[in-house]
Amino acid sequence: MTKCGYVSVVGRPNAGKSSLLNWLVGEKIAMVSHKANATRKRANIIVMHNDDQIVFVDTPGLHETEKLLNQFMLDEALKAIGDCDLILFLAPVTDKLTHYENFLEKNKKNTKHILLLTKIDNVTNSEVLEKMREYRKYSDKFEEIIPVSIKKQTTPSDILKEVVKYLPEHPYLFDPEILTTEHLRDIFKEFIRESIFENISDEIPYETDVLINKVEEKKDIDVVKATIIVQKGSQKGMIIGKGATAIKRIGKDARIKIEKLTGRKCFLELFVSVKKGWTKNKQGLKDLGYDVTF
Ligand SMILES: Nc1nc2c(ncn2[C@@H]2O[C@H](COP(=O)(O)OP(=O)(O)O)[C@@H](O)[C@H]2O)c(=O)[nH]1
Ligand SMILES: [Mg+2]
């Protein structure tokens, strides 16, 4: 009998959740940003380890918030915590223990979890050991604590073999050939959003989203048409930039990511449209795929 189950990947914004999942699956699927709160929805990323199947769930970061879009994001993370076989809690090694303590409070069902100390390439070995000692006072709460860096050392199988130990015996939930249940157009959307986070400063990326209007597979090229949605008229100019330099850069960066994933040429055409205050009301959010149910 094979093992198979859902593993939610949670932690504060910027803990390294999406990066870890791309690294574990060996393909860039989830968007990553040095800016916090880039990931907005749950996404399944499927990794095979020998004959076992792990369905990882990438989540938005756990954070306190007033804004409606962020409340949607937090709700997504809480749903993932409440509904899985195992949790990977990611704590950057330089963090205080408060984020972990907050998570323990939110893990109402006491779902088993592995604590991953991330970004250990940023500190010395003795600092890693010191942090592991600090967490020891919670050793009755977590199954294991594993230090990781996706930049050096650690191989994915070190983590995968620990994860499968805690999964139930179960037939595969998905075709073992697929890497994600996300539709290609949703991955493209995330790549464009990532490029906006990379190229546009300040708050604008947080009030921006992307609609994929059309994906057309032609013989030698994919044609993708997408609209960048902003919430104020003034933001439109910032996205386009002087002489359209900003939008050209966003388009080029996103196109390169799309081509790398598909292995095909892509023609990406971007438009910009204003949807006044879309992050601030439920209908505006719903229209962009963030269905607020609370
Ligand atoms: N130095 C270092 N940086 C990392 C590591 N993992 C992720 N990062 C960086 O941390 C930032 C946040 O990553 P991301 O995956 O978007 O975090 P998320 O918000 O938890 O999904 C990005 O700039 C990553 O490049 C790591 O192992 N070492
Ligand atoms: Mg993320």
Side-chain angles (χ1 to χ4, degrees), residues 12-19 31-34 39 119 121-122 149-151:
R12 70 157 168 86
N14 235 301
K17 300 177 289 298
S18 301
S19 311
M31 74 175 279
V32 167
S33 176
H34 64 280
T39 305
K119 309 193 191 184
D121 51 288
N122 284 334
S149 163
I150 64 164
K151 309 250 163 166

Side-chain angles (χ1 to χ4, degrees), residues 93 115-118 120 128 132 145-149 153-154 159:
V93 65
L115 186 56
L116 289 188
L117 278 188
T118 61
I120 57 164
V128 175
M132 288 173 78
I145 181 164
I146 308 175
V148 291
S149 163
Q153 57 98 357
T154 345
I159 296 171

Side-chain angles (χ1 to χ4, degrees), residues 93 123-133:
V93 65
V123 299
T124 62
N125 282 348
S126 63
E127 285 169 297
V128 175
L129 291 172
E130 178 51 35
K131 193 54 82 173
M132 288 173 78
R133 257 194 296 278

Side-chain angles (χ1 to χ4, degrees), residues 169-187:
E169 289 195 338
H170 196 282
Y172 296 157
L173 290 161
F174 299 101
D175 179 344
E177 297 292 314
I178 66 169
L179 304 180
T180 177
T181 55
E182 294 295 289
H183 295 291
L184 210 47
R185 55 167 52 223
D186 292 323
I187 300 177

Side-chain angles (χ1 to χ4, degrees), residues 2-13:
T2 57
K3 287 184 153 197
C4 179
Y6 282 95
V7 179
S8 293
V9 178
V10 301
R12 70 157 168 86

